[in-house]
Structures are given as C-alpha cells and as structure tokens.
Amino acid sequence: MNQCSACLIRNRAICADLDASELDALNKIGHQQQIERGRSLMWEGEDAHLVANVIDGVMKLTSSLEDGREQIVGLVYPSDFIGRPYGTTSAQTVTAITDTKLCVFPRSAFDDFAKSHPRLEHKLLDKTLSELDRARQWMLLLGRKSASEKIASFLLEMSERLAEKGCTDIPARSSFELPFGRQQVADILGLTIETVSRQFTRLKKQGLIDLPDRRTVVILDREALAVEA
C-alpha cells in the first residue's frame, strides 16, 4: 500500500486528488487483497464492514429474490469503487468474475478519513453519480433493448471498460478478451446462452466483429455496431 505512485489506476481512482501525505495516511488504514475467481467479498444484506478500490480484474454485483433466483445488476472494473460508505449493510453481493486485486479499507475507518478529506469525498460523489448513470443505462438495456441491441451495447461497453490498464483514460479497444464465458454473458444480459451464441455468429457474418477464439472479440466496424446498439 506504500506503492501508490506505481499503482496502475492511481489517477482514475477515488484517491486521485490526494497529495503524498494524505495518501500515506490512507495507506495506514488499508491493505491490498487478492480475491480468487468465484469468491465473494461482500454479501447482500450483511453488515458492510469493507469498502474497496478495484485495481485489476472484474467483479459482479448480484441481488437475489426470496426463492433464490439471482440477477446480475452490474459489473465492476479496474478503478471502480465498491462498498457502502456511511452505510450499515451491503446492498448487493460482490463476487469476483476473474482473479481480482483490490485496495481494501475497513468501512468505519474509511468513513472517518473521508469526513476529514473533502477532496476524497468529492471524488467519491463523482464516482457515485457516474455509477448511477450507468445503472440507469443498464435498466434501459435490460428493460427495453432487443437481444441484438443488448449484445452490441455490451460489446461496446466492454471495449471501453477493458481498455489497457493505465493511470489515465484511453480510447476504447478494437480487440479485447472477454473475462468470462458466454454463459455469464447470457446471465448478465438476461438472455439464454443459445441466443448469445446466435447473436455473436450473426455479428461476425455481417462483418461487424471477428471472433478469433471463444474469448477474443475484435470490433471491425464500431460505427455499425453502435447503430446496432
């Protein structure tokens, strides 16, 4: 945690506006943690003991119904912030889709730190509002878009969110590797795996994308894919 200057997401995380002395103080209450694929960091409805910055990897946010059915309500990427500052319980279960590296902080200690550092609170508010915008777009995608529109929208978002790691925002990628299989893509979008496979094949035949293997996606015509979305 004393290597903030070498952190890959340093200038995009909530700590971006802190000076060296403030980073040193923040370091003292946090630690880095590795989460293996498939393991959860937080559980829906349980006490919110932790908050965290994602350094590397992808996590999913899920909510469950009383009969046990589960819905993926969001994805978390590098530089995203997870947890509920100033809250008491976790709103969703947070599970690693890939092996994930985090900066983890005890919530109560982070709350105290944030209260005395307005620049961090401002960055946290900015992150929260951006996440709210994404959540509203996600509602539109799940509620109104067709299967073809969902897949196109999803691929465009992945190309942007899976951009090469770095301290600054960079253009979307034309080629990227999905961090999960098509069954998980189906679960995320509320589709069947057969529908996902058909849509991938159709987009490839139309020349919008290429699929060199099961995980790699190459966007050949971003403008046409945006129209599809």
Side-chain angles (χ1 to χ4, degrees), residues 81-101:
F81 185 80
I82 54 177
R84 192 72 176 269
Y86 312 118
T88 56
T89 59
S90 296
Q92 295 93 26
T93 297
V94 182
T95 304
I97 294 180
T98 67
D99 291 342
T100 302
K101 185 178 182 180

Side-chain angles (χ1 to χ4, degrees), residues 5-220:
S5 60
C7 179
L8 292 172
I9 52 100
R10 165 74 174 86
N11 292 340
R12 295 185 289 133
I14 59 165
C15 51
D17 294 334
L18 300 181
D19 61 29
S21 62
E22 291 170 327
L23 282 174
D24 185 61
L26 184 62
N27 288 338
K28 292 177 181 178
I29 65 172
H31 66 277
Q32 288 190 0
Q33 182 173 343
Q34 297 279 351
I35 301 291
E36 294 179 354
R37 179 169 59 92
R39 290 187 58 191
S40 295
L41 178 70
M42 305 171 188
W43 289 264
E44 181 181 7
E46 295 195 1
D47 290 344
H49 295 301
L50 303 172
V51 295
N53 263 330
V54 179
I55 300 175
D56 191 21
V58 181
M59 308 187 82
K60 64 178 180 179
L61 308 177
T62 59
S63 294
S64 300
L65 299 176
E66 292 181 357
D67 60 6
R69 284 178 293 166
E70 181 183 88
Q71 176 64 50
I72 298 175
V73 296
L75 297 176
V76 183
Y77 299 88
S79 81
D80 284 347
F81 185 80
I82 54 177
R84 192 72 176 269
Y86 312 118
T88 56
T89 59
S90 296
Q92 295 93 26
T93 297
V94 182
T95 304
I97 294 180
T98 67
D99 291 342
T100 302
K101 185 178 182 180
L102 304 163
C103 279
V104 179
F105 307 92
R107 183 189 57 78
S108 58
F110 182 87
D111 289 353
D112 292 340
F113 183 89
K115 289 174 184 176
S116 60
H117 293 81
R119 285 182 297 176
L120 185 141
E121 277 198 316
H122 182 272
K123 197 73 174 180
L124 182 60
L125 176 60
D126 183 59
K127 285 277 186 182
T128 301
L129 292 175
S130 294
E131 181 59 31
L132 178 59
D133 289 340
R134 285 200 296 267
R136 287 168 173 164
Q137 289 297 316
W138 192 260
M139 290 171 60
L140 176 64
L141 181 148
L142 293 179
R144 291 296 182 182
K145 290 195 173 186
S146 65
S148 61
E149 292 169 336
K150 287 181 178 181
I151 293 295
S153 299
F154 177 74
L155 292 178
L156 288 171
E157 180 184 20
M158 294 296 287
S159 74
E160 296 168 358
R161 301 304 303 277
L162 292 177
E164 293 288 353
K165 306 182 195 72
C167 288
T168 57
D169 294 329
I170 64 171
R173 301 180 65 183
S174 59
S175 177
F176 58 92
E177 183 175 322
L178 289 173
F180 32 70
R182 295 188 183 183
Q183 181 60 64
Q184 286 181 301
V185 173
D187 293 340
I188 291 166
L189 299 177
L191 303 172
T192 65
I193 188 172
E194 292 81 9
T195 298
V196 170
S197 294
R198 284 197 301 269
Q199 292 299 328
F200 270 68
T201 300
R202 182 182 63 81
L203 291 173
K204 180 179 179 179
K205 288 181 177 179
Q206 291 179 346
L208 275 64
I209 65 172
D210 190 20
L211 303 168
D213 54 53
R214 292 289 293 179
R215 290 292 183 92
T216 303
V217 177
V218 181
I219 297 179
L220 301 176

